[in-house]
């Protein structure tokens, strides 16, 4: 009943079915095992972040990267938690590390772009969003984020073209519609 691998799988299944509180309970139990790998803590961090439990999510993320300093998922999840907690300089460090470990990851560049944007470093944010799109031209979220940035820069026609592309790529991306409305 307390097998860490089984608990982690149950947590992932519960999360997949949208039962976040059950998922978190299983993941907490899996992470309590002394042998729990970094991935378990990283998954817990993401689930907690999605539930708005940023303090515990940060602790789980920090544990993940302490266990494995090369874990892209751990650094990425910790960086996003820190971003949402307003700890932008620390988020920048984490997400920069992800881009160093996995330079071909469009998600890593997109996430780093989000932190740069929150820091007001718009040129660097644009560079990261464009890198994400170069790596994956079908990455709707990066198109939407770049559209939002272009709108902030007063480049409304370019922003509208970009957000239309985002909607074309993923008609279920609610943020793209909000960006189009803006």
């Amino acid at each position: 009943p307390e097998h860490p691998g089984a608990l982690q799988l149950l947590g992932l299944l519960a999360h997949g079915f949208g039962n976040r509180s059950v998922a978190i309970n299983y993941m907490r139990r899996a992470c309590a095992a002394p042998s729990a790998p970094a991935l378990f803590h990283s998954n817990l961090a993401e689930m907690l972040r999605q539930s708005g439990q940023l303090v515990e999510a940060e602790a789980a993320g920090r544990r993940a990267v302490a266990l494995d300093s090369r874990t892209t998922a751990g650094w990425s999840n910790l960086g996003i938690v820190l971003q949402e907690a307003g700890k932008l300089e620390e988020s920048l460090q984490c997400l920069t590390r992800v881009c160093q470990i996995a330079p071909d990851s469009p998600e890593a560049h997109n996430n780093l772009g989000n932190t740069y944007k929150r820091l007001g470093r718009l040129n660097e944010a644009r560079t990261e969003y464009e890198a994400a799109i170069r790596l994956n031209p079908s990455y709707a979220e990066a198109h939407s984020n770049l559209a939002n940035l272009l709108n902030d820069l007063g480049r409304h026609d370019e922003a509208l073209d970009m957000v239309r592309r985002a909607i074309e790529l993923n008609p279920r991306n609610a943020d793209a519609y909000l960006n189009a409305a803006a």
Side-chain angles (χ1 to χ4, degrees):
E2 294 303 313
H3 186 277
L7 293 168
Q8 196 252 4
L9 289 174
L10 286 168
L12 293 175
L13 285 169
H15 187 261
F17 282 105
N19 195 336
R20 203 173 286 147
S21 62
V22 170
I24 289 170
N25 181 49
Y26 280 124
M27 291 305 299
R28 282 181 179 138
R29 290 170 53 199
C31 289
S35 63
L39 179 62
F40 290 17
H41 295 276
S42 177
N43 288 339
L44 176 60
E46 176 59 11
M47 290 176 190
L48 289 164
R49 181 195 67 80
Q50 290 177 9
S51 294
Q53 299 174 57
L54 297 181
V55 172
E56 188 180 353
E58 181 179 339
R62 290 191 188 281
R63 178 76 177 135
V65 300
L67 288 169
D68 180 0
S69 64
R70 301 270 314 151
T71 173
T72 55
W75 285 113
S76 182
N77 289 342
L78 178 58
I80 295 167
V81 167
L82 292 167
Q83 183 187 95
E84 290 187 12
K87 299 177 180 181
L88 299 178
E89 290 298 332
E90 287 182 272
S91 171
L92 185 64
Q93 292 171 5
C94 292
L95 296 173
T96 298
R97 182 169 284 185
V98 175
C99 287
Q100 291 168 344
I101 297 169
D104 295 331
S105 168
E107 294 81 7
H109 289 281
N110 184 64
N111 292 335
L112 182 56
N114 289 339
T115 294
Y116 275 130
K117 186 168 188 301
R118 287 185 181 200
L119 283 165
R121 295 166 62 175
L122 302 185
N123 289 330
E124 290 153 303
R126 183 176 184 170
T127 298
E128 295 302 328
Y129 293 143
E130 289 172 344
I133 292 168
R134 264 193 317 280
L135 290 165
N136 180 0
S138 299
Y139 189 15
E141 187 177 343
H143 284 273
S144 180
N145 287 338
L146 180 55
N148 180 272
L149 175 71
L150 291 169
N151 189 53
D152 288 352
L153 294 171
R155 301 177 76 164
H156 306 295
D157 291 338
E158 289 177 71
L160 192 54
D161 288 342
M162 189 63 61
V163 80
R164 284 182 178 144
R165 179 70 178 134
I167 291 169
E168 177 184 304
L169 290 167
N170 182 1
R172 295 178 158 271
N173 184 335
D175 285 338
Y177 290 99
L178 293 172
N179 291 335

